[in-house]
Amino acid sequence: MTQVKAGDKVRIHYTGTLADGTTFDSSQGRDPLEFTVGSGEIIPGLDSALPGMAAGDKKTVEIPCAEAYGEANPEARQAIPRAQVPAEIPLEIGTRLQLQTPQGQVMPVTVAEVTDDEVVLDANHPLAGQDLTFAIELVSIG
């Protein structure tokens, strides 16, 4: 039976959960996720779990944050004066926004804190600093 190796294009179904059991993402009800193993298209911990699997195999893998989205970087949080935020921008904690850098790149941020004077925006990935668990099923190879 053919087993996955680096360079193979694969299709998987997955359910990702946090340490408290909360599901943060799942392919259920959608097409399987398709990518090339070892190409860097997905987080390293999930990518490295696939070699040796065969179509139809299922497994659950625990991925430490260092092999997922990394540790949260405190320098990726920035406070800006609330007066600089246009009134039509929603400022509920957890709201995802997109900023444009001076170089013209789009940077996703999350509203982390709001006071009368300032808004703290967090550019860390929402899953940074979290260990993740994935239940995966290898649908196909090739």
Side-chain angles (χ1 to χ4, degrees):
M1 180 171 273
T2 303
Q3 293 185 330
V4 173
K5 63 186 179 315
D8 286 343
K9 185 171 283 280
V10 297
R11 292 165 41 97
I12 64 168
H13 272 302
Y14 65 92
T15 298
T17 55
L18 303 175
D20 66 3
T22 304
T23 298
F24 64 85
D25 194 14
S26 177
S27 65
Q28 299 309 313
R30 303 191 314 236
D31 288 337
L33 176 64
E34 185 174 315
F35 60 94
T36 301
V37 175
S39 66
E41 295 173 58
I42 63 169
I43 60 173
L46 186 54
D47 207 7
S48 66
L50 295 164
M53 291 182 72
D57 284 356
K58 296 179 181 183
K59 73 163 111 170
T60 299
V61 293
E62 294 184 15
I63 302 172
C65 69
E67 294 177 33
Y69 294 97
E71 295 287 346
N73 178 356
E75 293 178 16
R77 293 171 61 100
Q78 181 176 359
I80 59 171
R82 188 167 182 161
Q84 289 183 6
V85 180
E88 69 273 9
I89 302 293
L91 292 179
E92 289 81 36
I93 291 176
T95 300
R96 300 282 295 156
L97 303 172
Q98 291 188 343
L99 299 181
Q100 190 165 0
T101 67
Q103 297 77 26
Q105 294 176 303
V106 174
M107 179 174 55
V109 295
T110 302
V111 176
E113 295 175 38
V114 179
T115 68
D116 290 340
D117 300 321
E118 65 183 18
V119 176
V120 177
L121 301 176
D122 188 345
N124 283 294
H125 187 281
L127 296 173
Q130 301 208 45
D131 297 335
L132 308 177
T133 300
F134 281 89
I136 57 177
E137 175 186 2
L138 183 62
V139 176
S140 64
I141 304 170

